[in-house]
Amino acid sequence: MKAAAATAASVAVSVGIVLLLVPMLGGHPDGPGFWMSVLCPLVIAGPASAWQFHQSETIVRQRDALALMHVKLESAYAELKELHADLQVRARTDTMTGGLNRGAFFSDLDVESRRNAGPVAILIADADHFKHVNDTFGHLVGDEALRRIGAAISRAIGERCWWGRIGGEEFVAYLPGHDRAQALQVAERIRRSVASAILVSDSRPVPLSVSIGVACGHGPFEPMELFRRADADLYSAKTGGRNRIVIDGREVNSAAA
């Protein structure tokens, strides 16, 4: 359409020149001259205009296609970036409880052990009689019990602290900036929160409690040594009757904590 309009304009200009300029120069626009003024623009300007407008429209279409492709690529990149971030979180997270998994917890602890220069504490909490819970109420109830314990730990620790699930029913929390008294207060909050949790299955209450081992130190520290001490105290808490806290080989009663 644009090419036809340009060609028509060229014909009009050419005819105008013949009809106006030739008489002014003393000539007479005869029949062949007139028709040449019509045919020349059609033969020359027509194809040239058509090609030019075709090329222009092609460039516009390609530019629009490139712009659309750029938008799609940006959207795909944003989606890929979001998926990558989600995968990174999933790779570090225990899907059951939402805490860190074992690998992520100890990796972060190793980094923290070299740069922390203040008091630190590690708590290891283990669900009491968890096999009995699974055998009696089923694994779905056992899974919910683990989620309740994880939630209790998450509520009890501070913002700078982190926690994870490092085994079937075993949890660990890292408490930077916590001395012995503060660590025991956190441990007691966890113990009480789990013991008071209400979990019912088929109208039957599900008994929940945790035993906790606590180890304190001062950074920089050796992470596995601190963990070993907390784990030894956890074993003492389990063998000493469960639903209790042990630190440095000694049980701590609720009033003291």
Side-chain angles (χ1 to χ4, degrees), residues 29-37:
D30 55 6
F34 175 79
W35 288 113
M36 285 297 292
S37 69

Side-chain angles (χ1 to χ4, degrees), residues 232-248:
D233 286 335
L234 170 65
Y235 179 78
S236 298
K238 300 290 280 188
T239 58
R242 296 182 172 85
N243 191 23
R244 61 198 62 218
I245 301 166
V246 173
I247 183 171
D248 296 330

Side-chain angles (χ1 to χ4, degrees), residues 133-203:
V133 172
N134 274 334
D135 292 345
T136 304
F137 300 97
H139 288 276
L140 291 179
V141 176
D143 292 346
E144 180 59 25
L146 294 177
R147 285 189 284 269
R148 297 289 182 93
I149 295 171
I153 296 173
S154 181
R155 289 192 302 267
I157 64 178
E159 292 183 357
R160 293 179 54 213
C161 309
W162 68 76
W163 65 279
R165 177 177 171 229
I166 59 172
E169 64 268 25
E170 192 170 64
F171 299 80
V172 62
Y174 170 67
L175 313 177
H178 285 58
D179 58 21
R180 177 189 175 96
Q182 293 168 320
L184 289 176
Q185 288 174 356
V186 173
E188 179 60 15
R189 284 200 298 269
I190 295 171
R191 190 196 67 79
R192 286 184 179 180
S193 180
V194 174
S196 62
I198 299 174
L199 181 59
V200 178
S201 176
D202 295 330
S203 301

